[in-house]
């Protein structure tokens, strides 16, 4: 109730809260669903696409497809948990994981993804090497910090120093850095045990190469496509020191840890070589023709038909 005084007259008005219609409630519900979907699939605003996507490619849901553009880790645990639960419920027999043009990212995410493909306990990577115990402290802790963030980070800096120092240790004259992915991990209860195809190419780097090399070594997947851009036997990554180049002023990330998949090394100084090599040419790109995916789908159809 509101009373007003105008021209020596008092008037009272009763205000009522507008009630939402059923349509409004449905719109709100749909918006919340879209917001959660964007988080779980890691929505990238600048290009209006999702970092992770999942779908069934066959009407009978026998073939599942996961595309990961970058292992960002953002909401990745929820994504894989929900995705592999759907795959298990659908009793899918084939799974295609597309990591073409995936430049890498989080070791924790690929370790989690691998746990949905493994049938027994595994260790994803070997112990990561650093040049000295001080290497983890060269990671530009205050990089891209505004005044407020700088103040907050300053308070946490002592804990950061202790944590990074505690994670390094020396053995046989080599300094190592502890990571979650270098410890034994158990398979997930909804782990997939059907046939796995992994699509790779020259744009697959870092974490993409590590998981591809591990899957190939453990014979858990058939790799299809082209040699990865990242090395088969490891990568210099883990964490970075950003250095500004003197003339171009470009901020260049320098990896500080040697991260290697827990495999028998090939010692070839090459990327991960696919089991089935199918090259892509300029005309394929212009025609939007995906020869690698076509090969996999044809292979699946032939297997279903007993060929």
């Amino acid at each position: 109730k509101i009373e007003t005084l105008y021209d020596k007259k008092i008037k009272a008005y009763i205000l009522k809260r507008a009630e939402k219609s059923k349509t409004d409630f449905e719109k709100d519900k749909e918006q919340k669903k879209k917001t959660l979907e964007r988080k779980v699939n890691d929505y990238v605003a600048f290009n209006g696409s999702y970092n992770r996507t999942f779908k069934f490619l066959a009407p009978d849901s026998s073939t599942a497809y996961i595309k990961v553009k970058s292992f960002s880790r953002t909401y990745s645990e929820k994504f894989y948990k929900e995705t592999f639960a759907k795959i298990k419920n659908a009793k899918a027999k084939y799974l295609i994981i597309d990591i073409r043009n995936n430049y890498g990212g989080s070791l924790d995410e690929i370790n989690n993804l691998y746990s949905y493909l493994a049938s027994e306990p595994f260790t994803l990577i070997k112990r990561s090497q650093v040049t000295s115990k001080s290497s983890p402290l060269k990671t530009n802790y205050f990089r891209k910090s505004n005044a407020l963030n700088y103040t907050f980070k300053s308070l946490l800096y002592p804990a950061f120093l202790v944590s990074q120092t505690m994670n390094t240790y020396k053995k046989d004259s080599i300094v190592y850095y502890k990571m979650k992915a270098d410890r034994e991990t158990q398979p997930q209860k909804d782990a997939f045990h059907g046939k796995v195809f992994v699509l790779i190419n020259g744009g697959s780097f870092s974490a993409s190469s590590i998981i591809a090399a591990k899957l190939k070594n453990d014979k858990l997947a058939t790799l299809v496509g082209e040699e990865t851009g990242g090395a088969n036997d490891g990568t210099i990554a883990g964490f970075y020191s950003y250095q500004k180049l003197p003339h171009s002023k470009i901020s260049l990330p320098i990896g500080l840890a040697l991260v290697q998949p827990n495999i028998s090394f090939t010692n070839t100084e090459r990327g991960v070589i696919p089991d089935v090599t199918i090259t892509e040419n300029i005309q394929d790109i212009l025609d939007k023709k995906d020869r690698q995916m076509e090969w996999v789908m044809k292979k699946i159809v032939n297997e279903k038909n007993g060929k």
Side-chain angles (χ1 to χ4, degrees):
K1 180 179 179 180
I2 295 178
E3 291 185 343
T4 63
L5 177 63
Y6 177 71
D7 198 19
K8 297 181 181 181
K9 293 180 181 179
I10 297 176
K11 287 190 176 183
Y13 298 91
I14 304 296
L15 301 180
K16 292 184 178 180
R17 184 187 297 272
E19 294 184 358
K20 286 188 175 182
S21 66
K22 185 177 180 180
T23 302
D24 290 332
F25 277 114
E26 289 298 323
K27 285 182 179 179
D28 288 347
K29 187 177 179 181
E30 185 63 26
Q31 186 58 42
K32 287 181 180 179
K33 182 180 178 182
K34 285 183 178 179
T35 301
L36 180 60
E37 180 184 273
R38 287 188 171 193
K39 288 180 178 179
V40 174
N41 293 285
D42 196 10
Y43 181 73
V44 182
F46 83 90
N47 61 13
S49 67
Y50 290 104
N51 187 33
R52 302 183 204 95
T53 52
F54 161 73
K55 60 184 176 181
F56 289 107
L57 299 181
D60 60 359
S61 300
S62 61
T63 303
Y65 173 82
I66 297 173
K67 169 70 177 177
V68 186
K69 295 180 180 179
S70 172
F71 293 113
S72 66
R73 195 185 178 186
T74 307
Y75 283 89
S76 62
E77 290 187 12
K78 185 174 178 62
F79 173 81
Y80 293 122
K81 183 178 181 180
E82 293 179 353
T83 295
F84 280 93
K86 292 175 183 176
I87 293 173
K88 185 175 183 178
N89 290 336
K91 298 180 180 179
K93 295 181 179 179
Y94 301 94
L95 171 61
I96 302 169
I97 300 176
D98 191 346
I99 53 174
R100 291 175 294 181
N101 301 314
N102 181 323
Y103 292 163
S106 168
L107 284 172
D108 287 343
E109 178 170 344
I110 62 171
N111 191 64
N112 185 41
L113 172 56
Y114 200 93
S115 69
Y116 283 99
L117 304 173
S119 57
E120 56 187 34
F122 67 93
T123 302
L124 183 71
I125 62 172
K126 296 181 182 292
R127 293 177 297 174
S128 299
Q129 298 179 33
V130 291
T131 56
S132 70
K133 285 191 174 183
S134 64
S135 293
L137 305 179
K138 300 174 182 178
T139 55
N140 308 93
Y141 178 76
F142 293 101
R143 182 173 176 265
K144 290 187 176 181
S145 297
N146 56 33
L148 182 61
N149 287 338
Y150 193 94
T151 302
F152 182 70
K153 284 185 174 182
S154 295
L155 297 174
L156 297 177
Y157 192 61
F160 168 77
L161 289 176
V162 172
S163 173
Q164 294 296 74
T165 303
M166 292 291 289
N167 278 332
T168 58
Y169 64 98
K170 195 171 186 178
K171 186 176 182 180
D172 299 328
S173 301
I174 299 175
V175 182
Y176 297 98
Y177 184 83
K178 297 176 185 176
M179 292 188 181
K180 181 180 178 181
D182 66 20
R183 300 195 296 268
E184 185 175 87
T185 302
Q186 298 295 322
Q188 299 284 350
K189 65 179 181 64
D190 287 338
F192 180 74
H193 300 303
K195 191 154 189 177
V196 181
F197 295 92
V198 178
L199 298 175
I200 57 174
N201 66 2
S204 305
F205 287 91
S206 194
S208 295
S209 296
I210 289 174
I211 192 170
K214 179 66 173 170
L215 287 168
K216 181 178 181 179
N217 181 84
D218 294 352
K219 295 179 173 56
L220 289 180
T222 300
L223 273 53
V224 180
E226 301 174 69
E227 179 180 352
T228 62
N232 184 90
D233 293 352
T235 180
I236 304 298
F239 37 85
Y240 299 86
S241 175
Y242 287 82
Q243 303 298 320
K244 184 177 288 187
L245 300 182
H247 299 294
S248 66
K249 305 302 179 183
I250 293 174
S251 184
L252 184 68
I254 307 296
L256 299 177
L258 173 60
V259 182
Q260 297 175 296
N262 186 28
I263 63 172
S264 298
F265 294 145
T266 60
N267 298 313
T268 57
E269 298 183 356
R270 296 281 301 273
V272 184
I273 306 299
D275 298 298
V276 180
T277 298
I278 300 175
T279 57
E280 183 181 54
N281 57 46
I282 294 297
Q283 195 59 49
D284 291 335
I285 297 172
L286 294 175
D287 295 340
K288 296 183 179 180
K289 186 178 181 64
D290 192 342
R291 293 183 183 277
Q292 294 153 358
M293 177 64 87
E294 287 178 358
W295 184 92
V296 173
M297 295 305 296
K298 185 177 180 180
K299 177 71 172 176
I300 291 173
V301 170
N302 287 341
E303 285 195 7
K304 285 182 177 180
N305 295 332
K307 294 182 180 179

